[in-house]
Amino acid sequence: MINIASLQVRSYLHIDKLDIDAGKMVAICGPNGAGKSTLLEALAGYLPIQQGVIRFAGESLRDYSVAELATKRSWLPQQAGRRVYLSVFEQLLLTAEQFAPSHRQSPLCRQVIDDVVQRLALQPLVGRTLMALSGGELQRVAMANLLVSCDHRLNPDHQLILLDEPFSALDPHYQHQVIAVLLELKKQGRTVLLALHDLNLAVFYAMDVLLLDQGRLKMYGPAQQVLSSQQLAELFGVSMTQISINGRTQLVLA
Ligand SMILES: Nc1ncnc2c1ncn2[C@@H]1O[C@H](COP(=O)(O)OP(=O)(O)OP(=O)(O)O)[C@@H](O)[C@H]1O
């Protein structure tokens, strides 16, 4: 689904070779400044590629038009939507209508929005103005907006979800709720890549982890293998160990 070869972006990020299969959920981890956002922005098609190639579904990213990319992948940057003077419902409708230009599809847009609002329990927020929301509320609405954009009823070609620290402002309840939604999308065959600082979430949910350090790919594989005590000590300078609670792996300071 994603194939990277000899990639250089912003003279900082260098990846010799990386292949990510469809239907994976991959946490991009690494210290501050490691290149996580840079990699996601490059995959989203927003950064010029200085050298090498990113292939998405077999075709070079350079060969996709902006419109084609918009239907195939969704991109959630950090701090999305802060300055928009729209209600939550208006924002979601605007997004839905981008994929359903015919007026006859308006009832479908409303159905998709209703389903997403219900799935994320956003009913108390739909009439509120985006500018008046808290950081966490705004992040939940940004996720709802992404879910509308990738709903297969409106956007049947959709394949890839890219998220930059989507849980940074969410309390534990909403973190797990959003991960559950992403796991449902993965089950449908969507590929999900997310920059993540909370290493425990990656381990707990047995994601694959792509570990970056100083703009280089350090390791890619199952979280339990990649986030070993030795690797964590080397990269982050912290002493952590994996333990098992009720059959789930977790990281604890040791
Ligand atoms: N627009 C930019 N122009 C030039 N350099 C940039 C730009 N944005 C980021 N950088 C630099 O590129 C490097 C990688 O930044 P990036 O934001 O990708 O890291 P990150 O792993 O997402 O970090 P964090 O965990 O702090 O969010 C950093 O050294 C950063 O200072």
Side-chain angles (χ1 to χ4, degrees):
M1 134 77 52
I2 294 173
N3 313 99
I4 292 179
S6 309
L7 180 70
Q8 185 179 328
V9 178
R10 262 190 200 147
S11 304
Y12 180 77
L13 182 73
H14 301 260
I15 296 182
D16 289 336
K17 185 165 166 46
L18 174 67
D19 299 307
I20 298 175
D21 293 336
K24 291 271 185 190
M25 182 149 165
V26 180
I28 304 175
C29 301
N32 288 134
K36 302 180 291 293
S37 300
T38 304
L39 175 59
L40 282 170
E41 286 168 31
L43 289 169
Y46 286 127
L47 285 183
I49 293 172
Q50 283 164 282
Q51 271 182 43
V53 67
I54 298 178
R55 286 188 200 285
F56 170 45
E59 269 188 68
S60 169
L61 214 53
R62 288 192 178 99
D63 295 335
Y64 283 94
S65 69
V66 173
E68 269 179 317
L69 262 188
T71 61
K72 293 196 188 310
R73 63 102 180 93
S74 301
W75 161 235
L76 186 65
Q78 287 181 36
Q79 298 173 344
R82 167 62 71 191
R83 296 183 185 281
V84 182
Y85 199 77
L86 290 173
S87 74
V88 171
F89 179 76
E90 287 166 337
Q91 172 65 72
L92 298 179
L93 189 60
L94 204 65
T95 300
E97 286 182 344
Q98 282 173 15
F99 298 100
S102 153
H103 286 302
R104 281 178 299 168
Q105 287 173 300
S106 181
L108 178 59
C109 291
R110 282 167 190 266
Q111 186 60 56
V112 169
I113 292 170
D114 279 354
D115 293 347
V116 167
V117 164
Q118 203 165 339
R119 183 68 186 86
L120 294 182
L122 282 174
Q123 293 90 339
L125 300 185
V126 272
R128 301 264 308 271
T129 305
L130 288 171
M131 283 182 91
L133 298 182
S134 74
E137 289 168 340
L138 203 61
Q139 205 165 37
R140 293 174 57 216
V141 169
M143 182 57 63
N145 204 44
L146 179 134
L147 292 183
V148 169
S149 78
C150 67
D151 192 288
H152 269 166
R153 287 169 290 180
L154 291 173
N155 188 3
D157 288 338
H158 186 273
Q159 297 174 37
L160 175 66
I161 298 172
L162 303 166
L163 313 119
D164 198 350
E165 295 186 35
F167 317 125
S168 56
L170 299 186
D171 69 38
H173 171 78
Y174 289 123
Q175 285 186 358
H176 292 284
Q177 181 199 61
V178 169
I179 292 182
V181 171
L182 294 175
L183 287 169
E184 284 165 21
L185 290 165
K186 168 181 156 18
K187 235 181 182 174
Q188 295 170 9
R190 274 21 124 77
T191 308
V192 182
L193 269 72
L194 64 158
L196 195 59
H197 277 297
D198 188 338
L199 305 176
N200 238 328
L201 288 177
V203 173
F204 186 79
Y205 284 100
M207 298 178 195
D208 285 318
V209 169
L210 194 162
L211 201 56
L212 292 177
D213 184 32
Q214 297 181 53
R216 307 271 169 174
L217 175 62
K218 212 144 193 255
M219 214 172 159
Y220 174 51
Q224 283 189 36
Q225 282 174 28
V226 173
L227 300 177
S228 64
S229 299
Q230 189 189 337
Q231 194 74 260
L232 294 172
E234 208 176 291
L235 217 60
F236 297 96
V238 291
S239 174
M240 295 183 98
T241 191
Q242 293 182 9
I243 59 166
S244 178
I245 300 177
N246 297 330
R248 295 264 209 174
T249 304
Q250 298 198 35
L251 287 169
V252 290
L253 288 165

